[in-house]
Each structure stands twice: as C-alpha cells, then as structure tokens.
Amino acid sequence: MKIGFLDRDGTIIEDYEDEFWSDITEPVFLKDSIDALKSIRQKGYEIIIITNQYLINQKIITLQQYEEITGKFVNKLLDNGIEILDIFYCPHTKEENCNCMKPKDGMIKKALEKYPEIDLEKSFIVGDSLCDIQLGERLQIKTFGIGLEKIEGKTIKIDSLKDIVKYL
C-alpha cells in the first residue's frame, strides 16, 4: 500500500503561533490543499496524517479541543469526497523525550504496526517544518518540504501541497 504521510498544521490547514491555538475552533484549509489531497488519492495513495500536538501536554489546548478540530477537519475532507486512512498524533512536549514526536519515527512505527501492508519505498512524507524533513530523511523515503529555506538530503522543496502532484 502506498501512503502519503502528511503533516497537518501548516501543510493542509493554517498553523498559528502556539498561544493562539487555544482560540481556534475551526480548521482553516490552506488554498488548494483539498484539491491536492484529492489528486494524491487519485494517484493511488492512502493518506495518513502524522502531527505533533505538543500543545496538549503543554496545556495550551485540551485533548477535547484537539479532537474537536480534528473531527471538523475529517468531516470537511469527507464532505469533499476525501477519505483519510488514519491520523496519528503526538501530544508530548520535547521535554518528555517520547518516541513519537517528529523527527522520531514512533508515529510511523505505529502506522506500520496497524497497517503492515504499507510499502515505505512507494510512500512519501510532506510537511512544512524541519522535523518532517528529518523524519523523511531518517526513513529514507521520498520527502517534500513546503516553503522551507533549509532543506536536507534529497528532500524536494515545494511551495504548497498542490505542487506535490507533479512528483507522484
């Protein structure tokens, strides 16, 4: 199974300074991100969201707030005919030194345990932060960095999620 591992905040929906997230009640989709997700699915990829959500354990947002935004996120995608296979999130802070916070590969390992038919060689990762790029490079899979100045290894620099389609 081919997977597009996608970051959420700053990749598909708007991202905000940490302290502003407590006031966010609706996901705001980035321009063309819904069309890009449709194209990714049409190219035969399943979509798995992998997202660091350290704001939960930092007490900036509650787990309930995260779940409400995520529910609205998923419903908006479903309303547009886009099914995602799964969402994995890390609620931990950097200080907790967990295995799941990107750039560590714990969320990918959980995905591989749950879906052993995933073929990493045919999959890709895309995100807007260095931790996403470092994870992709660590896994040695096709990696796309959105709007990043510093790109590592073989990462392909793109301006937005819609630009990914020509590489798939």
Side-chain angles (χ1 to χ4, degrees):
M1 176 171 28
K2 299 187 306 184
I3 300 290
F5 292 102
L6 282 81
D7 175 52
R8 189 189 76 176
D9 307 334
T11 300
I12 302 171
I13 64 172
E14 289 285 341
D15 197 2
Y16 306 94
E17 296 293 322
D18 290 355
E19 61 273 11
F20 295 120
W21 271 104
S22 61
D23 296 325
I24 303 302
T25 58
E26 295 285 333
V28 176
F29 283 78
L30 296 172
K31 184 179 185 299
D32 298 323
S33 64
I34 289 176
D35 288 339
L37 292 172
K38 285 180 183 177
S39 295
I40 290 167
R41 292 284 292 131
Q42 288 167 353
K43 297 262 187 187
Y45 290 86
E46 296 288 341
I47 295 171
I48 292 179
I49 306 298
I50 51 171
T51 179
N52 286 345
Q53 294 294 322
Y54 57 87
L55 299 177
I56 296 169
N57 282 13
Q58 283 184 340
K59 308 282 190 242
I60 294 172
I61 64 170
T62 65
L63 180 58
Q64 181 179 350
Q65 285 173 299
Y66 164 76
E67 289 171 346
E68 287 172 4
I69 289 275
T70 300
K72 292 174 181 179
F73 170 82
V74 168
N75 286 335
K76 174 78 169 178
L77 294 179
L78 288 172
D79 289 346
N80 282 277
I82 303 165
E83 273 191 56
I84 56 173
L85 183 61
D86 215 327
I87 299 175
F88 294 90
Y89 72 97
C90 170
H92 306 110
T93 64
K94 289 178 181 137
E95 294 74 31
E96 290 177 85
N97 198 27
C98 64
N99 294 339
C100 50
M101 181 179 268
K102 296 180 287 184
K104 293 182 180 174
D105 61 1
M107 287 187 277
I108 301 292
K109 284 182 176 175
K110 284 181 185 174
L112 290 169
E113 287 172 19
K114 188 169 180 180
Y115 306 101
E117 63 276 21
I118 292 174
D119 185 344
L120 283 181
E121 289 182 12
K122 294 180 180 172
S123 299
F124 67 87
I125 186 169
V126 60
D128 69 318
S129 62
L130 191 56
C131 67
D132 300 307
I133 304 318
Q134 291 169 335
L135 175 58
E137 291 292 324
R138 172 178 285 149
L139 295 171
Q140 298 181 347
I141 65 173
K142 188 180 286 189
T143 304
F144 298 92
I146 296 177
L148 294 173
E149 293 303 314
K150 184 177 179 346
I151 295 289
E152 297 191 355
K154 299 176 186 173
T155 298
I156 300 166
K157 183 178 179 180
I158 56 177
D159 292 324
S160 72
L161 190 56
K162 71 176 176 147
D163 297 335
I164 200 173
V165 177
K166 62 187 165 198
Y167 294 101
L168 301 179

